[in-house]
Amino acid sequence: MTRPSPPPLTYLPLGEHPRRRLPQLFTGLALYGWSLSLLVRASLGVNPWSVLTEGLERRTDLSFGTVSALLGVLVLLLWIPLKQRPTFGTFANIVVLACSSDLGLALLPAHLGLTARIGLLVGGVLLNGLSVAVYVGARFGPGPRDGLMTGASRATGRSLRLVRTAVEIAVLAVGGLLGGTAGIGTVLYALTVGPITQFFLPWCVYRSGGGRTVATVVPAGEVASAEWPLRAHWPSAMNDAERGSS
């Protein structure tokens, strides 16, 4: 299917237009954390990584954001054998998401009625898709979970789709066993966050040197993940198998 696509989302150095890109990065990450808090308060199911975070939160005395940050650090350690290199955006992802999600959970009431919870779910998914487009579009590199999946894809020679599916199923299963909330919201998130992000991305991508949007072939379903929507647009993460099998 041919459609207009944004410029490549390759990593750009911190020194390139930081006054333009840094506010976008922090805004996108803050909104992402806030969207997670909306999904948690909806209590209708969250994305796979949040299911794991929520499950661990319920088994410890730590906050949702603190658990999220610790998971991010743990995942980052898995980058070492994969020869992944963190960027400024990687560390910002860990810190800002933790703080903003905890702030959102502190401000949002719990135990709401079903109508309000459905509203939170829909709003959370929409905001999440937008926020991913905003922070990914700043082009500061992947978050910890993104890099784990792209690094594993390169190391194993398996497609991004297969690696992502395997990782998220495992994360979801463990999180569910620990008491995390999986449900209709988890399904809705998986089916819609990718297309929502892709819709908003052309307006959010920082175009180095004033590059134009060009037409390219985007395999159907290429963008359909929770923590790493549009990772397949990073050329370094795309192998020939993924291009042919998506």
Side-chain angles (χ1 to χ4, degrees), residues 65-158:
T66 301
V67 173
S68 174
L70 292 175
L71 274 176
V73 172
L74 178 62
V75 170
L76 199 57
L77 294 177
L78 299 177
W79 284 30
I80 298 174
L82 298 175
K83 298 181 180 180
Q84 289 278 101
R85 293 184 178 181
T87 65
F88 177 81
T90 307
F91 297 110
N93 184 292
I94 294 173
V95 176
V96 178
L97 260 62
C99 295
S100 59
S101 59
D102 271 354
L103 177 61
L105 290 171
L107 295 176
L108 290 169
H111 310 297
L112 297 170
L114 180 59
T115 301
R117 290 162 56 204
I118 291 174
L120 288 178
L121 172 62
V122 174
V125 171
L126 289 173
L127 182 60
N128 190 275
L130 170 61
S131 65
V132 172
V134 173
Y135 84 75
V136 166
R139 299 174 66 178
F140 277 102
R145 298 156 184 83
D146 303 342
L148 172 64
M149 287 182 273
T150 56
S153 175
R154 284 197 299 272
T156 62
R158 302 294 184 179

Side-chain angles (χ1 to χ4, degrees), residues 16 26 48 56 75 86 122 137-138 158 166 168 179 183 186 192 216 219 224 243:
E16 179 166 338
F26 289 125
L56 289 170
V75 170
V122 174
R158 302 294 184 179
E168 292 191 347
T186 309
T192 62
T216 188
R243 291 183 186 277

